[in-house]
Amino acid sequence: MIKSLPKIVPVILSGGSGTRLWPVSTPERPKQLLPLTADETMLQQTVKRVEGLVTVSVGRPIVVANAAHAGIIDTQIRLTGVEDYLVLLEPFGRNTAPAIALAALEAQGSDSMLVMPSDHTIADLPAFHTAIVRALALVADGWLITFGITPNAPETGYGYIKMGETCGDMIHEVVRFVEKPDAEHAADMLAEGNHAWNAGIFMFRADAYLAALERHQPAMLAAVKASLDRAERKDHHVAPDPQAFAACPSNSIDYAIMEREAQVACVPVNMGWSDVGSWDSLHSISARDEGNNAVRGEALLLGAQNCLVNSDGPRVTLVDVDDLIVVVSRGEVMILRRGESQKVRKVTEALKSAAPVPVA
Amino acid sequence: MIKSLPKIVPVILSGGSGTRLWPVSTPERPKQLLPLTADETMLQQTVKRVEGLVTVSVGRPIVVANAAHAGIIDTQIRLTGVEDYLVLLEPFGRNTAPAIALAALEAQGSDSMLVMPSDHTIADLPAFHTAIVRALALVADGWLITFGITPNAPETGYGYIKMGETCGDMIHEVVRFVEKPDAEHAADMLAEGNHAWNAGIFMFRADAYLAALERHQPAMLAAVKASLDRAERKDHHVAPDPQAFAACPSNSIDYAIMEREAQVACVPVNMGWSDVGSWDSLHSISARDEGNNAVRGEALLLGAQNCLVNSDGPRVTLVDVDDLIVVVSRGEVMILRRGESQKVRKVTEALKSAAPVPVA
């Protein structure tokens, strides 16, 4: 008796347009489309993240992306060797719940969708694969699964998931989702131990997600359906109708669905995950030399310690400096202290509000 | 009875090829040919340094330079508005004594030569002019005059001049020239008070200098004469014969002449002098903002303090960093700590000895 393998459709969300890695990341080239952590871009790494999965069959990946990035996404996916894929081109972002709804409507009814942000890194792929396989039984039963990152620090930059009773193989029912906490609350949750970081990685059957949308977000589901009914389709591309999509409410899957459903479970996983959300986090996940310096691009380090250098061309020479982040990109040179990379926001805000700076 | 004004011929030494201001200064573009301190280059500032001198007549300036810089020197001098000048093009450097000998042979016999390095800055020109005028009488009597900078710190990077008895209007006989001292010796001299920094600025009659050469450096004088006898002359340019000049010993005016002559006097002068010998010294003489930052080029400073930024194009953004020197030039970005700019030497030596650094 041959039993068919469960099928998983990778759904890759490429909607982010963060500027936290300015001057390298920009709205035109958000971080998932950049080779920040390796020779491949984070999108390419995400496309290949399901390679090596055993006991499951992997379906055609679906990428949901900003229509402006259609060309570069095609180029990058083809370079991974993946030939059969679909790109859903959003005319504008409506957050994650509608993006995943587009993908769910394109997937087969009972297929399992593995929803992954395109701009994270995962160092320990076998750990991720093991977690995926563990979740399959609950997914088949219609549960909505979120993969929760085992926390190793009282981070205030992530949402948390409070886990309750076991409902599967090392899987827990979700008690509640916790907004980004303050430092004290984060420390409490870390000490308590039954919490995980919400990494935005999900698994569920397409029909289970659509049924949840029908229950909680009927207007969203209707707008997404209408935008696909009138979509333009060509080669790998599906472009939902902008007018119909404009009527879709904007919301995250967490708020719109996960927090409202009953059959929601969390698979805690420790897999060397990073959202590469800042230059500091890039430093911490990068290979470093004996001086704890992480370098991409040409650099001459003479006595430098604990520095990050990221240059798209010019050689960066550091002499006896410590704890600096030095980024050279597209005619911009940015220098700030390691541990303070959230201050990139000061820069992007200053540039947004400032009159053009004259050249002296 | 009309008495003719004493005549001064400016002699500008442009032989330096220092790399202490790397990556901006290079052998092809040494610091005197760069607009480091102002919109004009230091060579141009030196050419104009005698403007405004009263009670003296200023003769045709003579620039002694590396032949490789002939074109750029012409361009820069013309931009100052000076039309009558002479450039002596050395085929290679032989230090200052032969360079000044070339100029002395081109000057009229009894003219006073005002010898000035081309890569210094002087903020208080009236003070310099006053010192020049004070020195005229001794110069006419055949003395060799050096202008000594009144020291304001125990600098170990300069030679010192020990001054003795008064021999003119606020002018002192030179007791001896002191090599670059160690810190203790420098502090002693500063405390003692009768010492000045040797800035390499001299004044003497051309024939007095040539007579001194005849006494102490006959081979040098002969070689320089021979090189000029066979010089190529065209427009503003005199190119001494390389073969004859090659026979000339290499020596500084200090060692070859000043330390050996008897009628040597020092005019102490306090005139906002700097040899701009390092990025630190450039910071200290530059206009600075309320955060004590000196900037040339485009920069966005958010909370930066005590920094120097010098960029030839790329915008430099500094966020809450202190005491950094950041230089961006010709595809190089160099960062070191303020107060440590002598470490540029570590960089130029590393680049000289290193195999080409591969681009990652």
Side-chain angles (χ1 to χ4, degrees), chain A residues 121-142:
Chain A
T121 60
I122 293 174
D124 186 355
L125 282 186
F128 185 38
H129 292 174
T130 301
I132 290 168
V133 171
R134 276 212 312 271
L136 284 170
L138 281 183
V139 169
D141 283 350

Side-chain angles (χ1 to χ4, degrees), chain A:
Chain A
M1 197 170 76
I2 297 177
K3 200 181 161 194
S4 66
L5 293 175
K7 184 169 167 196
I8 290 181
V9 174
V11 173
I12 299 169
L13 305 182
S14 175
S17 66
T19 53
R20 290 185 293 173
L21 295 177
W22 187 90
V24 171
S25 68
T26 63
E28 295 73 38
R29 265 296 184 101
K31 76 176 201 254
Q32 64 269 25
L33 303 181
L34 297 167
L36 277 165
T37 62
D39 292 336
E40 295 193 302
T41 68
M42 279 192 272
L43 174 73
Q44 290 174 315
Q45 291 179 297
T46 308
V47 167
K48 293 167 78 171
R49 194 154 285 154
V50 291
E51 283 181 7
L53 256 178
V54 290
T55 71
V56 295
S57 119
V58 175
R60 177 180 65 167
I62 300 175
V63 179
V64 189
N66 183 326
H69 302 145
I72 181 75
I73 284 178
D74 267 342
T75 304
Q76 292 195 0
I77 293 176
R78 279 178 198 152
L79 284 170
T80 67
V82 170
E83 288 174 1
D84 188 21
Y85 62 91
L86 196 69
V87 185
L88 298 171
L89 297 169
E90 294 181 310
F92 28 74
R94 281 291 186 256
N95 211 328
T96 49
I100 298 166
L102 287 169
L105 289 166
E106 290 295 320
Q108 296 300 318
S110 62
D111 283 352
S112 297
M113 300 163 66
L114 173 63
V115 178
M116 299 176 283
S118 58
D119 57 351
H120 295 175
T121 60
I122 293 174
D124 186 355
L125 282 186
F128 185 38
H129 292 174
T130 301
I132 290 168
V133 171
R134 276 212 312 271
L136 284 170
L138 281 183
V139 169
D141 283 350
W143 286 66
L144 308 183
I145 302 292
T146 176
F147 294 86
I149 308 300
T150 306
N152 52 24
E155 286 284 345
T156 57
Y158 307 133
Y160 284 67
I161 299 162
K162 178 166 185 176
M163 297 180 287
E165 297 298 313
T166 300
C167 59
D169 177 15
M170 295 171 71
I171 305 179
H172 299 261
E173 288 192 32
V174 169
V175 176
R176 67 169 162 272
F177 290 86
V178 183
E179 296 264 1
K180 289 177 186 176
D182 58 23
E184 194 185 345
H185 192 191
D188 287 348
M189 288 189 285
L190 192 66
E192 208 178 329
N194 52 348
H195 287 81
W197 291 335
N198 183 356
I201 308 171
F202 306 100
M203 200 159 80
F204 33 68
R205 279 172 35 182
D207 54 6
Y209 182 71
L210 293 171
L213 272 180
E214 183 75 67
R215 281 191 286 277
H216 306 292
Q217 308 291 343
M220 184 183 289
L221 181 59
V224 170
K225 274 184 173 166
S227 76
L228 277 180
D229 285 345
R230 284 175 255 156
E232 282 188 24
R233 293 172 182 268
K234 191 180 174 199
D235 301 332
H236 298 282
H237 292 170
V238 178
D241 178 65
Q243 213 175 334
F245 197 65
C248 181
S250 179
N251 208 343
S252 72
I253 180 176
D254 300 279
Y255 283 121
I257 302 297
M258 300 303 279
E259 295 185 2
R260 298 165 193 263
E261 278 289 297
Q263 279 201 318
V264 176
C266 177
V267 184
V269 59
N270 188 351
M271 56 183 178
W273 171 88
S274 171
D275 73 342
V276 198
S278 66
W279 290 113
D280 279 312
S281 97
L282 185 61
H283 181 269
S284 70
I285 65 167
S286 297
R288 278 159 280 164
D289 66 16
E290 66 278 11
N292 201 36
N293 304 293
V295 172
R296 282 191 79 82
E298 192 179 357
L300 175 61
L301 304 191
L302 301 171
Q305 299 260 347
N306 307 319
C307 292
L308 172 82
V309 174
N310 191 294
S311 173
D312 66 356
R315 171 166 54 192
V316 176
T317 298
L318 303 183
V319 186
D320 289 343
V321 294
D322 298 337
D323 292 293
L324 291 183
I325 292 168
V326 180
V327 184
V328 182
S329 178
R330 304 173 300 107
E332 302 274 2
V333 177
M334 182 189 68
I335 302 170
L336 39 71
R337 299 208 64 77
R338 196 169 70 90
E340 299 186 348
S341 62
Q342 78 285 3
K343 290 183 176 173
V344 167
R345 188 186 298 268
K346 284 177 72 169
V347 179
T348 51
E349 281 171 5
L351 293 177
K352 216 181 293 175
S353 64
V357 181
V359 178

Side-chain angles (χ1 to χ4, degrees), chain B residues 6-11 50 53 56-57 100 110-117 128-148 171 200-209 253 257-258 263-267:
Chain B
K7 184 170 167 196
I8 289 180
V9 174
V11 174
V50 289
L53 257 177
V56 297
S57 122
I100 297 166
S110 62
D111 282 353
S112 296
M113 299 163 64
L114 173 63
V115 178
M116 298 176 284
F128 184 38
H129 292 174
T130 301
I132 291 167
V133 171
R134 276 212 312 272
L136 284 170
L138 281 183
V139 169
D141 283 350
W143 285 67
L144 308 182
I145 303 293
T146 176
F147 294 86
I171 305 180
I201 308 171
F202 305 102
M203 200 160 79
F204 34 68
R205 280 172 33 183
D207 54 7
Y209 182 71
I253 179 174
I257 302 296
M258 301 302 280
Q263 278 200 317
V264 176
C266 177
V267 185

